[in-house]
Amino acid sequence: MVAEASHEVYVDEILETIEAAAKVRGTGIAQRTHDYLATKIKEGKAIIALAGDEFAGFSYIESWGNKQYVATSGLIVPEKFRHLGIAKRIKEASFTLARLRWPKAKIFSLTSGGAVMKMNTDLGYLPVTFGELTDDEAFWRGCEGCINHDVLIRTGRKYCICTAMLYDPAKKAPSTPPKGEL
């Protein structure tokens, strides 16, 4: 579902789950603050999955470059809820939410995970160079919390450990309509 103010109680658990997953995978992830995620939730820019009252997954969206670009970020599912299709449902719902809020915006995702790359591909995203993403400095500052930020800086924002993927609504419609519920 689209998260709302009452879901702010899950923010610390979301942040802990993201940090633990990054350590297990040994990959970078941009760190976010409690206030940042709480704001996304209050603004209706997040998707949360619950099993009763238990946190089962999360993702958020943000617009960049004068709303010409939207990033879907922070996709996380706790270990006990993995391999149930929850991540895919959250990804589809965040994609749908982004398309509803900013229908003409290009939607992008940065990931080092194969499962997310597959989900993105199924939604119509294509791999692109980092130069095809937003030039909004506020977005790029968000990468500073990642352990691989030095790679991005050393290459002049041309390369990193993550794969950049972009959905351009002017070029391609999704191969199958998203099934995520809002």
mmCIF file of all heavy atoms in Angstrom, residues 112-142:
data_model
loop_
_atom_site.group_PDB
_atom_site.id
_atom_site.type_symbol
_atom_site.label_atom_id
_atom_site.label_comp_id
_atom_site.label_asym_id
_atom_site.label_seq_id
_atom_site.Cartn_x
_atom_site.Cartn_y
_atom_site.Cartn_z
ATOM 1 N N SER A 112 22.752 -2.940 -7.690
ATOM 2 C CA SER A 112 23.817 -3.912 -7.930
ATOM 3 C C SER A 112 23.249 -5.328 -7.792
ATOM 4 O O SER A 112 23.979 -6.302 -7.865
ATOM 5 C CB SER A 112 24.978 -3.701 -6.951
ATOM 6 O OG SER A 112 24.509 -3.818 -5.613
ATOM 7 N N GLY A 113 21.933 -5.434 -7.598
ATOM 8 C CA GLY A 113 21.303 -6.735 -7.398
ATOM 9 C C GLY A 113 20.634 -7.276 -8.651
ATOM 10 O O GLY A 113 19.864 -6.580 -9.312
ATOM 11 N N GLY A 114 20.916 -8.515 -8.963
ATOM 12 C CA GLY A 114 20.347 -9.159 -10.134
ATOM 13 C C GLY A 114 18.830 -9.243 -10.100
ATOM 14 O O GLY A 114 18.164 -9.090 -11.123
ATOM 15 N N ALA A 115 18.256 -9.499 -8.927
ATOM 16 C CA ALA A 115 16.794 -9.614 -8.820
ATOM 17 C C ALA A 115 16.122 -8.293 -9.168
ATOM 18 O O ALA A 115 15.109 -8.266 -9.880
ATOM 19 C CB ALA A 115 16.397 -10.071 -7.421
ATOM 20 N N VAL A 116 16.687 -7.173 -8.698
ATOM 21 C CA VAL A 116 16.104 -5.864 -9.004
ATOM 22 C C VAL A 116 16.284 -5.552 -10.485
ATOM 23 O O VAL A 116 15.379 -5.004 -11.120
ATOM 24 C CB VAL A 116 16.701 -4.759 -8.105
ATOM 25 C CG1 VAL A 116 16.206 -3.383 -8.531
ATOM 26 C CG2 VAL A 116 16.347 -5.015 -6.644
ATOM 27 N N MET A 117 17.424 -5.918 -11.056
ATOM 28 C CA MET A 117 17.621 -5.713 -12.497
ATOM 29 C C MET A 117 16.550 -6.456 -13.296
ATOM 30 O O MET A 117 16.001 -5.925 -14.263
ATOM 31 C CB MET A 117 19.011 -6.179 -12.923
ATOM 32 C CG MET A 117 20.115 -5.263 -12.488
ATOM 33 S SD MET A 117 21.707 -5.889 -13.067
ATOM 34 C CE MET A 117 22.766 -5.359 -11.740
ATOM 35 N N LYS A 118 16.222 -7.674 -12.895
ATOM 36 C CA LYS A 118 15.184 -8.455 -13.580
ATOM 37 C C LYS A 118 13.827 -7.783 -13.434
ATOM 38 O O LYS A 118 13.082 -7.657 -14.415
ATOM 39 C CB LYS A 118 15.154 -9.876 -13.001
ATOM 40 C CG LYS A 118 13.937 -10.694 -13.411
ATOM 41 C CD LYS A 118 14.206 -11.587 -14.583
ATOM 42 C CE LYS A 118 13.091 -12.545 -14.889
ATOM 43 N NZ LYS A 118 11.912 -11.976 -15.511
ATOM 44 N N MET A 119 13.492 -7.336 -12.217
ATOM 45 C CA MET A 119 12.214 -6.647 -12.007
ATOM 46 C C MET A 119 12.135 -5.388 -12.865
ATOM 47 O O MET A 119 11.104 -5.106 -13.480
ATOM 48 C CB MET A 119 12.035 -6.281 -10.532
ATOM 49 C CG MET A 119 11.724 -7.445 -9.637
ATOM 50 S SD MET A 119 11.470 -6.883 -7.932
ATOM 51 C CE MET A 119 12.944 -7.511 -7.167
ATOM 52 N N ASN A 120 13.227 -4.618 -12.888
ATOM 53 C CA ASN A 120 13.261 -3.399 -13.700
ATOM 54 C C ASN A 120 13.051 -3.726 -15.178
ATOM 55 O O ASN A 120 12.283 -3.057 -15.868
ATOM 56 C CB ASN A 120 14.591 -2.662 -13.510
ATOM 57 C CG ASN A 120 14.698 -1.952 -12.178
ATOM 58 O OD1 ASN A 120 13.709 -1.738 -11.482
ATOM 59 N ND2 ASN A 120 15.914 -1.593 -11.817
ATOM 60 N N THR A 121 13.738 -4.737 -15.663
ATOM 61 C CA THR A 121 13.614 -5.137 -17.064
ATOM 62 C C THR A 121 12.176 -5.521 -17.388
ATOM 63 O O THR A 121 11.634 -5.130 -18.424
ATOM 64 C CB THR A 121 14.579 -6.305 -17.375
ATOM 65 O OG1 THR A 121 15.920 -5.863 -17.114
ATOM 66 C CG2 THR A 121 14.467 -6.760 -18.816
ATOM 67 N N ASP A 122 11.546 -6.272 -16.483
ATOM 68 C CA ASP A 122 10.151 -6.679 -16.697
ATOM 69 C C ASP A 122 9.211 -5.475 -16.787
ATOM 70 O O ASP A 122 8.178 -5.548 -17.446
ATOM 71 C CB ASP A 122 9.689 -7.606 -15.575
ATOM 72 C CG ASP A 122 10.337 -8.980 -15.628
ATOM 73 O OD1 ASP A 122 10.964 -9.323 -16.662
ATOM 74 O OD2 ASP A 122 10.221 -9.718 -14.622
ATOM 75 N N LEU A 123 9.571 -4.374 -16.145
ATOM 76 C CA LEU A 123 8.752 -3.161 -16.166
ATOM 77 C C LEU A 123 9.070 -2.247 -17.351
ATOM 78 O O LEU A 123 8.404 -1.239 -17.552
ATOM 79 C CB LEU A 123 8.913 -2.387 -14.857
ATOM 80 C CG LEU A 123 8.271 -3.042 -13.628
ATOM 81 C CD1 LEU A 123 8.733 -2.361 -12.350
ATOM 82 C CD2 LEU A 123 6.751 -3.015 -13.745
ATOM 83 N N GLY A 124 10.099 -2.591 -18.123
ATOM 84 C CA GLY A 124 10.432 -1.792 -19.298
ATOM 85 C C GLY A 124 11.642 -0.892 -19.139
ATOM 86 O O GLY A 124 11.946 -0.092 -20.022
ATOM 87 N N TYR A 125 12.349 -1.008 -18.030
ATOM 88 C CA TYR A 125 13.589 -0.244 -17.852
ATOM 89 C C TYR A 125 14.663 -0.842 -18.756
ATOM 90 O O TYR A 125 14.666 -2.044 -19.028
ATOM 91 C CB TYR A 125 14.125 -0.391 -16.429
ATOM 92 C CG TYR A 125 13.382 0.260 -15.310
ATOM 93 C CD1 TYR A 125 12.160 -0.227 -14.861
ATOM 94 C CD2 TYR A 125 13.935 1.343 -14.628
ATOM 95 C CE1 TYR A 125 11.504 0.343 -13.780
ATOM 96 C CE2 TYR A 125 13.288 1.925 -13.539
ATOM 97 C CZ TYR A 125 12.078 1.410 -13.120
ATOM 98 O OH TYR A 125 11.436 1.962 -12.047
ATOM 99 N N LEU A 126 15.595 0.016 -19.175
ATOM 100 C CA LEU A 126 16.752 -0.427 -19.951
ATOM 101 C C LEU A 126 18.026 0.042 -19.256
ATOM 102 O O LEU A 126 18.040 1.121 -18.648
ATOM 103 C CB LEU A 126 16.701 0.167 -21.362
ATOM 104 C CG LEU A 126 15.520 -0.258 -22.225
ATOM 105 C CD1 LEU A 126 15.480 0.562 -23.514
ATOM 106 C CD2 LEU A 126 15.581 -1.745 -22.519
ATOM 107 N N PRO A 127 19.109 -0.741 -19.353
ATOM 108 C CA PRO A 127 20.382 -0.282 -18.788
ATOM 109 C C PRO A 127 20.871 0.947 -19.560
ATOM 110 O O PRO A 127 20.738 1.004 -20.782
ATOM 111 C CB PRO A 127 21.336 -1.455 -18.999
ATOM 112 C CG PRO A 127 20.509 -2.591 -19.482
ATOM 113 C CD PRO A 127 19.202 -2.060 -19.952
ATOM 114 N N VAL A 128 21.395 1.935 -18.835
ATOM 115 C CA VAL A 128 21.897 3.166 -19.452
ATOM 116 C C VAL A 128 23.194 3.578 -18.767
ATOM 117 O O VAL A 128 23.531 3.073 -17.699
ATOM 118 C CB VAL A 128 20.866 4.323 -19.349
ATOM 119 C CG1 VAL A 128 19.601 4.013 -20.139
ATOM 120 C CG2 VAL A 128 20.542 4.656 -17.898
ATOM 121 N N THR A 129 23.881 4.506 -19.375
ATOM 122 C CA THR A 129 25.053 5.087 -18.724
ATOM 123 C C THR A 129 24.584 6.081 -17.670
ATOM 124 O O THR A 129 23.476 6.607 -17.734
ATOM 125 C CB THR A 129 25.950 5.827 -19.741
ATOM 126 O OG1 THR A 129 25.217 6.946 -20.247
ATOM 127 C CG2 THR A 129 26.370 4.907 -20.886
ATOM 128 N N PHE A 130 25.422 6.344 -16.715
ATOM 129 C CA PHE A 130 25.071 7.291 -15.662
ATOM 130 C C PHE A 130 24.836 8.686 -16.228
ATOM 131 O O PHE A 130 24.096 9.470 -15.656
ATOM 132 C CB PHE A 130 26.165 7.317 -14.589
ATOM 133 C CG PHE A 130 26.045 6.201 -13.588
ATOM 134 C CD1 PHE A 130 25.914 4.881 -13.991
ATOM 135 C CD2 PHE A 130 26.066 6.468 -12.232
ATOM 136 C CE1 PHE A 130 25.796 3.858 -13.077
ATOM 137 C CE2 PHE A 130 25.944 5.455 -11.305
ATOM 138 C CZ PHE A 130 25.814 4.133 -11.724
ATOM 139 N N GLY A 131 25.436 8.996 -17.367
ATOM 140 C CA GLY A 131 25.244 10.293 -18.008
ATOM 141 C C GLY A 131 23.820 10.521 -18.497
ATOM 142 O O GLY A 131 23.431 11.646 -18.776
ATOM 143 N N GLU A 132 23.028 9.441 -18.614
ATOM 144 C CA GLU A 132 21.642 9.563 -19.060
ATOM 145 C C GLU A 132 20.677 9.803 -17.898
ATOM 146 O O GLU A 132 19.476 9.944 -18.112
ATOM 147 C CB GLU A 132 21.230 8.315 -19.837
ATOM 148 C CG GLU A 132 21.977 8.174 -21.148
ATOM 149 C CD GLU A 132 21.620 6.907 -21.889
ATOM 150 O OE1 GLU A 132 20.448 6.797 -22.294
ATOM 151 O OE2 GLU A 132 22.506 6.039 -22.050
ATOM 152 N N LEU A 133 21.213 9.865 -16.687
ATOM 153 C CA LEU A 133 20.389 10.123 -15.513
ATOM 154 C C LEU A 133 20.353 11.615 -15.219
ATOM 155 O O LEU A 133 21.025 12.402 -15.875
ATOM 156 C CB LEU A 133 20.939 9.354 -14.304
ATOM 157 C CG LEU A 133 21.070 7.846 -14.475
ATOM 158 C CD1 LEU A 133 21.660 7.221 -13.228
ATOM 159 C CD2 LEU A 133 19.730 7.215 -14.816
ATOM 160 N N THR A 134 19.612 11.970 -14.218
ATOM 161 C CA THR A 134 19.480 13.372 -13.840
ATOM 162 C C THR A 134 20.821 14.026 -13.536
ATOM 163 O O THR A 134 21.735 13.369 -13.036
ATOM 164 C CB THR A 134 18.533 13.524 -12.626
ATOM 165 O OG1 THR A 134 18.399 14.897 -12.318
ATOM 166 C CG2 THR A 134 19.072 12.792 -11.406
ATOM 167 N N ASP A 135 20.910 15.313 -13.819
ATOM 168 C CA ASP A 135 22.102 16.064 -13.433
ATOM 169 C C ASP A 135 21.840 16.857 -12.147
ATOM 170 O O ASP A 135 22.635 17.694 -11.756
ATOM 171 C CB ASP A 135 22.571 16.990 -14.560
ATOM 172 C CG ASP A 135 21.512 18.002 -14.969
ATOM 173 O OD1 ASP A 135 20.423 18.023 -14.381
ATOM 174 O OD2 ASP A 135 21.782 18.789 -15.893
ATOM 175 N N ASP A 136 20.749 16.563 -11.480
ATOM 176 C CA ASP A 136 20.367 17.239 -10.240
ATOM 177 C C ASP A 136 21.393 16.917 -9.152
ATOM 178 O O ASP A 136 21.558 15.768 -8.744
ATOM 179 C CB ASP A 136 18.969 16.756 -9.829
ATOM 180 C CG ASP A 136 18.362 17.549 -8.696
ATOM 181 O OD1 ASP A 136 19.090 17.918 -7.755
ATOM 182 O OD2 ASP A 136 17.141 17.783 -8.752
ATOM 183 N N GLU A 137 22.087 17.946 -8.699
ATOM 184 C CA GLU A 137 23.147 17.766 -7.693
ATOM 185 C C GLU A 137 22.616 17.174 -6.394
ATOM 186 O O GLU A 137 23.318 16.431 -5.716
ATOM 187 C CB GLU A 137 23.855 19.088 -7.410
ATOM 188 C CG GLU A 137 24.727 19.571 -8.562
ATOM 189 C CD GLU A 137 25.837 18.597 -8.927
ATOM 190 O OE1 GLU A 137 26.474 18.000 -8.021
ATOM 191 O OE2 GLU A 137 26.071 18.416 -10.142
ATOM 192 N N ALA A 138 21.379 17.480 -6.034
ATOM 193 C CA ALA A 138 20.802 16.929 -4.802
ATOM 194 C C ALA A 138 20.727 15.401 -4.879
ATOM 195 O O ALA A 138 20.972 14.708 -3.890
ATOM 196 C CB ALA A 138 19.422 17.520 -4.542
ATOM 197 N N PHE A 139 20.398 14.866 -6.060
ATOM 198 C CA PHE A 139 20.368 13.413 -6.205
ATOM 199 C C PHE A 139 21.761 12.829 -5.983
ATOM 200 O O PHE A 139 21.932 11.872 -5.238
ATOM 201 C CB PHE A 139 19.861 12.984 -7.593
ATOM 202 C CG PHE A 139 20.099 11.520 -7.833
ATOM 203 C CD1 PHE A 139 19.279 10.576 -7.247
ATOM 204 C CD2 PHE A 139 21.177 11.085 -8.604
ATOM 205 C CE1 PHE A 139 19.528 9.223 -7.421
ATOM 206 C CE2 PHE A 139 21.424 9.737 -8.787
ATOM 207 C CZ PHE A 139 20.592 8.801 -8.201
ATOM 208 N N TRP A 140 22.750 13.384 -6.636
ATOM 209 C CA TRP A 140 24.101 12.832 -6.558
ATOM 210 C C TRP A 140 24.689 12.943 -5.154
ATOM 211 O O TRP A 140 25.473 12.092 -4.749
ATOM 212 C CB TRP A 140 24.996 13.483 -7.617
ATOM 213 C CG TRP A 140 24.533 13.083 -8.986
ATOM 214 C CD1 TRP A 140 23.848 13.850 -9.881
ATOM 215 C CD2 TRP A 140 24.664 11.797 -9.596
ATOM 216 N NE1 TRP A 140 23.548 13.122 -11.010
ATOM 217 C CE2 TRP A 140 24.049 11.849 -10.857
ATOM 218 C CE3 TRP A 140 25.250 10.601 -9.191
ATOM 219 C CZ2 TRP A 140 24.002 10.774 -11.718
ATOM 220 C CZ3 TRP A 140 25.199 9.512 -10.058
ATOM 221 C CH2 TRP A 140 24.586 9.603 -11.297
ATOM 222 N N ARG A 141 24.292 13.957 -4.394
ATOM 223 C CA ARG A 141 24.735 14.045 -2.995
ATOM 224 C C ARG A 141 24.222 12.853 -2.198
ATOM 225 O O ARG A 141 24.855 12.418 -1.243
ATOM 226 C CB ARG A 141 24.279 15.353 -2.348
ATOM 227 C CG ARG A 141 25.158 16.541 -2.708
ATOM 228 C CD ARG A 141 24.893 17.749 -1.819
ATOM 229 N NE ARG A 141 23.534 18.247 -1.912
ATOM 230 C CZ ARG A 141 23.092 19.097 -2.843
ATOM 231 N NH1 ARG A 141 23.913 19.556 -3.767
ATOM 232 N NH2 ARG A 141 21.833 19.496 -2.844
ATOM 233 N N GLY A 142 23.083 12.303 -2.605
ATOM 234 C CA GLY A 142 22.541 11.136 -1.922
ATOM 235 C C GLY A 142 23.425 9.907 -2.033
ATOM 236 O O GLY A 142 23.337 9.001 -1.213
#
